[in-house]
Amino acid sequence: MNLDRKGAVFAKNDPPHKMPVLFIGHGSPMNAIEENQFTEGIKNIGATIKKPELILCVSAHWETKGTYLTAMENPRTIHDFGGFPKELYDVVYPAKGSPELAARVKHMLKTRDTGLDFGWGLDHGAWSVLRHLYPDAGVPVVQMSIDYFIEPQEHYYMMKQLAPLREEGVLFVASGNMVHNLEKADWTKIDEEYGFDWALEAGEKMKRYILGNDHKQLINYRCHGKSFELAIPTPEHYLPLLYALSLKEEDEEIKIFNNKAVAGSILMTSFKIG
């Protein structure tokens, strides 16, 4: 990879190609190693996308004060969970990093408190979905943290500043779950398609706002009553949805996939923009 005179990331040989944007409901870490309807959905959507030059990933599992970007050449695979089979801990996703992309994003977000990080890596919110999109780990990845000190509208408008990167071959992958309440989960039904009434109600409203381009309603998620309160007890899994939607142009198509609920209180709904 190289930087042109304006600081844009570009490939030496390939012409520019506008990349889509993905929001992926990642669910259980076990989805990293299982073959199921959700991993199949991720693979199928990946097959519709031209291979990107680079990936910028926002995961629910890296919260910081300020915004940070992984800037190392070789980000480590982080196993940030407990109580799972050894097979899951043995997974390594050896994608290269891109210090150039990290520096470019930092420059584009110069109005924000943005830093370069050399100690994090790729957490399971990132690699558990990326290994189904690109099993050979052949696309360099930069992970971006979520600043837990700023409001939803700040996340949304901050990310909008990065829209030009789509024209430079950068695929945005936002990983979370738009309905995610582990305290209310029915773990006896983790392998079943099952959602509580409030989870399904919140999910249907969210989908209506997503397909209707009504991003204001999604930014103001705290104003939608009890179902949203239960669906989003903490914002870290929901905010990646706003990151993805901020990059959508008015006339772009949205394709929804993996539109299922599990364990009552987790919605795997995902979408592709463009």
Side-chain angles (χ1 to χ4, degrees):
M1 300 304 299
N2 294 274
L3 296 177
D4 68 15
R5 285 176 294 181
K6 295 181 180 179
V9 181
F10 71 100
K12 289 182 178 179
N13 302 315
D14 295 337
H17 178 80
K18 184 175 181 179
M19 297 303 299
V21 178
L22 295 177
F23 171 77
I24 298 180
H26 64 245
S28 167
M30 288 299 293
N31 287 322
I33 58 174
E34 291 181 345
E35 296 292 333
N36 55 43
Q37 61 178 319
F38 304 120
T39 60
E40 189 68 20
I42 296 171
K43 290 175 182 177
N44 289 342
I45 209 72
T48 69
I49 300 172
K50 179 180 177 180
K51 188 175 182 179
E53 299 292 334
L54 296 158
I55 294 170
L56 180 62
C57 184
V58 176
S59 160
H61 294 281
W62 190 21
E63 292 183 279
T64 54
K65 182 178 181 180
T67 299
Y68 286 86
L69 301 145
T70 56
M72 65 286 287
E73 293 281 356
N74 297 286
R76 65 192 176 101
T77 303
I78 302 173
H79 301 90
D80 51 332
F81 40 71
F84 289 92
K86 182 179 182 298
E87 182 185 5
L88 187 58
Y89 297 92
D90 289 340
V91 174
V92 174
Y93 190 73
K96 297 290 186 182
S98 175
E100 296 89 354
L101 177 60
R104 166 84 164 134
V105 173
K106 177 177 169 61
H107 175 75
M108 295 175 78
L109 297 179
K110 56 188 174 182
T111 58
R112 297 270 335 135
D113 179 12
T114 308
L116 302 179
D117 178 90
F118 298 90
W120 189 249
L122 303 179
D123 59 50
H124 84 270
W127 61 261
S128 69
V129 298
L130 293 178
R131 74 188 308 259
H132 294 300
L133 287 170
Y134 303 103
D136 65 353
V139 182
V141 181
V142 169
Q143 187 170 329
M144 182 177 179
S145 74
I146 295 175
D147 184 350
Y148 60 81
F149 279 91
I150 63 176
E151 291 298 310
Q153 63 269 22
E154 295 180 78
H155 290 284
Y156 181 88
Y157 290 110
M158 175 188 74
M159 199 64 176
K160 267 189 174 299
Q161 298 175 68
L162 303 182
L165 292 175
R166 293 182 62 190
E167 303 281 357
E168 299 171 21
V170 178
L171 174 67
F172 289 86
V173 179
S175 175
N177 288 98
M178 64 189 203
V179 172
H180 185 270
N181 189 330
L182 296 185
E183 287 191 1
K184 299 292 185 183
D186 182 348
W187 299 114
T188 67
K189 297 184 177 181
I190 187 63
D191 295 322
E192 299 179 30
E193 182 185 335
Y194 172 67
F196 298 129
D197 289 345
W198 57 262
L200 299 177
E201 176 186 333
E204 285 303 312
K205 286 183 179 179
M206 290 175 191
K207 282 190 296 177
R208 187 161 67 247
Y209 297 143
I210 289 167
L211 295 174
N213 285 325
D214 195 345
H215 297 179
K216 183 177 179 180
Q217 296 289 350
L218 292 161
I219 291 170
N220 296 324
Y221 68 87
R222 298 188 184 105
C223 301
H224 296 300
K226 191 64 175 179
S227 67
F228 272 61
E229 289 176 18
L230 289 167
I232 314 166
T234 56
E236 75 285 344
H237 277 77
Y238 179 82
L239 289 172
L241 178 146
L242 298 183
Y243 278 55
L245 288 175
S246 73
L247 297 167
K248 182 183 181 298
E249 295 182 2
E250 187 70 25
D251 60 348
E252 283 190 297
E253 178 185 4
I254 287 190
K255 177 180 176 59
I256 290 179
F257 62 101
N258 285 356
N259 187 32
K260 307 288 184 182
V262 295
S265 63
I266 301 169
L267 211 59
M268 298 296 290
T269 305
S270 308
F271 57 80
K272 172 191 170 190
I273 298 172

